[in-house]
Amino acid sequence: MNISAAGPSPDLLLLTRPGCHLCVAARQVLDRISADLGIPWREQSIEGDAELASRFGEEIPVLLIDGIQRDFWQLDETRIRRLLGH
Protein backbone atom coordinates (compact mmCIF):
# COMPACT_ATOMS: atom_id res chain seq x y z
CA MET A 1 0.00 0.00 0.00
CA ASN A 2 1.44 3.32 -1.06
CA ILE A 3 0.47 5.95 1.51
CA SER A 4 1.85 8.88 -0.47
CA ALA A 5 -0.82 11.14 -1.88
CA ALA A 6 -1.44 14.79 -2.60
CA GLY A 7 -1.88 16.67 0.64
CA PRO A 8 -0.09 16.80 3.95
CA SER A 9 2.97 14.69 4.69
CA PRO A 10 2.40 11.39 6.45
CA ASP A 11 2.89 11.45 10.22
CA LEU A 12 6.04 9.47 11.07
CA LEU A 13 6.34 8.74 14.79
CA LEU A 14 9.23 6.78 16.22
CA LEU A 15 8.54 5.28 19.65
CA THR A 16 11.72 4.86 21.68
CA ARG A 17 13.05 4.40 25.20
CA PRO A 18 16.21 5.68 26.88
CA GLY A 19 19.28 3.46 26.45
CA CYS A 20 17.89 1.69 23.38
CA HIS A 21 20.74 0.84 20.99
CA LEU A 22 18.34 -0.08 18.16
CA CYS A 23 16.76 3.36 18.50
CA VAL A 24 20.04 4.97 17.44
CA ALA A 25 19.98 3.05 14.15
CA ALA A 26 16.27 3.79 13.67
CA ARG A 27 16.92 7.53 14.05
CA GLN A 28 19.63 7.31 11.38
CA VAL A 29 17.25 5.56 8.96
CA LEU A 30 14.56 8.19 9.51
CA ASP A 31 17.09 11.02 9.20
CA ARG A 32 18.15 9.70 5.76
CA ILE A 33 14.55 9.28 4.60
CA SER A 34 13.63 12.73 5.91
CA ALA A 35 16.61 14.35 4.17
CA ASP A 36 15.87 12.62 0.86
CA LEU A 37 12.08 12.98 0.81
CA GLY A 38 11.50 16.09 2.87
CA ILE A 39 9.16 14.22 5.20
CA PRO A 40 9.61 15.19 8.85
CA TRP A 41 9.48 12.66 11.64
CA ARG A 42 9.11 12.92 15.38
CA GLU A 43 10.10 10.84 18.36
CA GLN A 44 8.28 9.91 21.55
CA SER A 45 9.63 7.93 24.48
CA ILE A 46 7.39 5.26 25.95
CA GLU A 47 9.01 5.84 29.34
CA GLY A 48 6.42 7.16 31.75
CA ASP A 49 3.50 6.21 29.47
CA ALA A 50 1.99 2.99 30.84
CA GLU A 51 -0.30 2.46 27.85
CA LEU A 52 2.49 2.79 25.26
CA ALA A 53 4.88 0.71 27.38
CA SER A 54 2.29 -2.05 27.71
CA ARG A 55 1.45 -2.03 24.00
CA PHE A 56 4.93 -1.59 22.48
CA GLY A 57 7.43 -2.31 25.27
CA GLU A 58 8.84 -5.50 23.71
CA GLU A 59 9.12 -4.07 20.19
CA ILE A 60 11.00 -0.78 20.67
CA PRO A 61 11.84 1.05 18.48
CA VAL A 62 8.47 1.13 16.72
CA LEU A 63 7.64 3.21 13.66
CA LEU A 64 4.06 4.40 13.29
CA ILE A 65 3.01 5.98 10.01
CA ASP A 66 -0.26 7.85 10.31
CA GLY A 67 -0.94 5.96 13.55
CA ILE A 68 -0.40 2.50 12.06
CA GLN A 69 2.51 0.34 13.20
CA ARG A 70 4.69 -0.21 10.13
CA ASP A 71 8.01 -1.49 11.49
CA PHE A 72 9.84 -2.31 14.70
CA TRP A 73 13.24 -3.34 16.08
CA GLN A 74 15.41 -2.85 12.99
CA LEU A 75 13.74 -0.48 10.57
CA ASP A 76 13.76 -1.62 6.93
CA GLU A 77 14.67 1.55 5.03
CA THR A 78 13.74 0.14 1.62
CA ARG A 79 10.34 -1.01 2.86
CA ILE A 80 9.61 2.33 4.54
CA ARG A 81 10.54 4.23 1.38
CA ARG A 82 8.23 1.94 -0.61
CA LEU A 83 5.39 2.59 1.87
CA LEU A 84 5.97 6.31 1.47
CA GLY A 85 5.85 5.98 -2.29
CA HIS A 86 9.52 6.69 -3.00
Side-chain angles (χ1 to χ4, degrees):
M1 174 177 117
N2 179 329
I3 61 175
S4 177
S9 293
D11 179 36
L12 277 63
L13 174 60
L14 182 65
L15 299 177
T16 62
R17 75 163 45 114
C20 165
H21 69 283
L22 292 176
C23 297
V24 174
R27 287 182 194 102
Q28 293 170 345
V29 167
L30 291 177
D31 281 344
R32 283 193 299 271
I33 292 171
S34 180
D36 288 349
L37 305 181
I39 299 173
W41 64 277
R42 58 196 177 92
E43 180 175 340
Q44 180 178 342
S45 175
I46 65 166
E47 187 171 273
D49 187 318
E51 182 179 338
L52 288 177
S54 173
R55 185 170 171 198
F56 298 110
E58 299 301 316
E59 298 178 344
I60 294 299
V62 172
L63 176 64
L64 303 175
I65 301 177
D66 292 332
I68 299 169
Q69 183 176 343
R70 295 295 186 175
D71 216 344
F72 64 99
W73 290 333
Q74 295 183 359
L75 301 189
D76 182 334
E77 185 170 346
T78 301
R79 181 175 178 275
I80 294 166
R81 287 176 182 273
R82 189 171 55 245
L83 286 169
L84 295 171
H86 300 275

